[in-house]
Amino acid sequence: MSPRILIVGGVAGGASAAARARRLSEDAEIIMFERGESISFANCGLPYYIGGVIADRARLLVQTPEAFHRRYRVDVRTRTTVVRIDRKTKSVVARDVLTGDERTEPYDVLILSPGAEPVRPPIPGADAPGVFTLRNLDDTDRIKAVADRLESGRAVVVGGGYIGLEMAEALRQRGLDVTLVELAKQVFIAADPEMVAPLHQQLEYHGVDLRLGTSVTEIRAEDETHLHVVTSDGRGVDARLVILAVGVRPETGLARAAGLEIGPTGGIAVDEHLRTSDPAIFAVGDAVEVRQLIGGSPALIPLAGPANRQGRIAADNALGRDSVYKRTQGTAVCKVFDLTIGMTGLSEKSLSASGRRYEKIHVHPSSHAGYYPGAMPLSLKLLFDPGNGVVLGAQAVGAAGVDKRIDVLAVAIRAGLTVHDLAEQELAYAPPYGSAKDPINYAGFVAANVLDGDMPICHAADVVEPRGDQLLLDVRDPAELAVGTIPGAVNIPLDELRDRIDELPRDKEILAFCQVGLRGYLAARILTLSGFRCRNLSGGYKTYQAVVGHLPPEEAPPHEVVDDAGQVETTRILADAEDGLAAVAKEIDARGLQCPGPIMRLAEEICRVDVGRAVAVVATDPGFRADVGAWCASTGHELRLLAAHDGACRAVVVRRDVRPAAQPAAAGALAKQKTIVVFSGDFDKAMAAFIIANGAAAMGSRVTMFFTFWGLNILRRSEPVAVRKNLVERMFGRMMPRGAERLALSKMNLGGAGLAMIKGIMRRKNVASL
Ligand code: FAD
């Protein structure tokens, strides 16, 4: 006998179930009830329609009731609410929303997909006119109607989940000022804090007034477009529009009233076949409690992908198949202005709450080959089992390539792959799309090194307050330090490490770091192979900054400037920006270069332009925005303009006549006074001292060089001077080199041939000698 299948809810899970049921049976009678006017609409597209990215409302309607009926012969009853389930008689009562008429409809199988309702926090005024939640097309139309009437003014978005973030962006795109209030200390709460730090920066960069750790305590409405939002930080906000996006709650009223079992998280309890506690009733989508893929704990994970797959599986089982829903891993992605954040599997937060052992690594590769235009930095965090290397979770944030990597990692987690497997994946590569070592491979290499003991690592928490028996070693180049370093760190650039290894204490553990972790790794290898105890800071200074919250927000509200080429730029810092643009003497295209690359290029070029002229740098690394400000503050050059520029950031820096004494205080822990003690008379070591001294002076430091012991020979005159000396002094005088030109190399001098070779190379490369 052909079954009668009733479906409650006609959007993601419900419509999927209905279509699949029809594909499996031409005989089944299928009725789909939907409370709203539309079925199968694109709820995920609603914010983009409000923001204007999707211009045509009709594009949101993936299916109409009529078309759905024509194609699938499903009896679609819109504006009809199922108000009761009678499990004894296997029937439901459906009420026409417009007329109130009720009809009883019997079922053989019932599939519930009622979704989740937006939470309205229990605060005075949460129901006031002008305060909206966003779930369906009716909500969308109401919000859009108000936004269309407002030409300016402020909207307050309460809640920093993906709907809140998407709405903040949508309302900014419409030209409204936006305040985003979030109770937690971070937005996108499912991800770990350091991974969302760039989102905070991004929101502020795009002019969103971000209030983290703040709650809304009351909303006072004068009328629909004049509201006052009272916040816990005491800084109330006048608003024309308020969006509440503080989360969703599974719609379980119908199921509860019918006596179906509800799980500990508050969703409808289902088994792996998505059957409820009543064998004739299935439930799917946002309303159900799922099991997490890893660990199997119960969870509410309201996402469209799981809802659609579950609808299909419930239909299979309703028609006698044996389909199993293999849990939910929480793969999610969200666009926040120019950035994308994505995650899959477990976060560090959830792993540590569950007490499960894990290790993590952070890497910062590029979205594709750095030399091909448009490469963007990507921050990727990988969580894995420290015993067998199985991947447990991943998060990524960046301007490009995030979704692709998260999808690959989602498959890896689903397949139970290990970090070694990631290292071995053969992924599509050509310069516009990826790198020969894709970020996935790269994360696999790094994690495998950790797992195999080749790279002991430490994390930001370990370096905030190192123990007395530990030493922090910054192996970046001196110029990079201008944008900051970890307090207490000693700087020995990687390329000098082998020569200066004796400066490091052997009785201490060395915690080495660089900008993103690669040079730190190389330093750790050198030191470990030389008998030191050493760990590398995973993700380097970049991750440290994100963890300790040192990514400075940008404060000035954006406004637009048109440059000489007619390009519109949204500018952030401005002292007479037009002047700065006119003064540009050198343009640097640093797109695709990771920080501090763009800063190094800027440092190189600024000394080549005249005082008062400017260097413009276009960079894609989001860290550049903060770094260039810190670099200018540190060196005394003037940041004239910082602008969003075609998905990148453009800075115009005017060269100032930098006199060390007049410099502002250092941005980082480095003092602006440097003393260099030159105690070697070897040419190479003396050169290193002068290079560092010049670098520091160029960065605005007052440098003192103190020559002692053998180092005094560098200052010695080349021609003999008549001085009265005793025998020993005369002997020493003869043995010592007579001035800078007579110094020898510390190693491979080869009777002067090595030195001659080096001097030849220096001449060719225009490097001044001592
Ligand atoms: P829904 O799709 O919400 O459908 C439930 C339907 O059931 C509703 O239309 C409701 O009217 C109807 N209903 C409820 N009770 C009854 C009843 N008693 N009688 C009749 N009808 C009833 N997820 C993502 O993965 N990515 C995204 O980018 C994303 N963006 C989103 C943006 C917004 C603004 C929203 C609101 C959601 C977004 N989601 C996103 C979540 C995704 O839309 C949901 O996870 C998915 O729609 C859930 O499917 P569902 O079938 O459980 O519920």
Side-chain angles (χ1 to χ4, degrees), residues 7-15 33-36 38-48 77 80-84 112-116 118 134-136 140 162-163 166-167 248 251 254 284-288 301-308 310 331-334:
I7 299 171
V8 179
V11 190
F33 299 98
E34 169 53 52
R35 190 168 52 198
S38 314
I39 58 158
S40 217
F41 62 88
N43 15 25
C44 310
L46 303 179
Y48 302 101
R77 312 247 180 110
T80 306
T81 307
V82 171
V83 290
R84 210 162 42 253
L112 302 177
S113 185
L134 177 62
R135 177 182 185 183
N136 51 35
T140 305
Y162 65 83
I163 296 178
E166 288 168 1
M167 282 309 298
V248 295
E251 276 217 22
L254 205 55
V284 302
D286 289 0
V288 305
I301 304 180
L303 290 169
N308 278 282
Q310 290 165 9
T331 306
V333 68
C334 179

Side-chain angles (χ1 to χ4, degrees), residues 553-567:
E554 291 169 271
E555 275 150 22
H559 69 266
E560 289 186 340
V561 165
V562 180
D563 71 10
D564 294 349
Q567 293 240 40

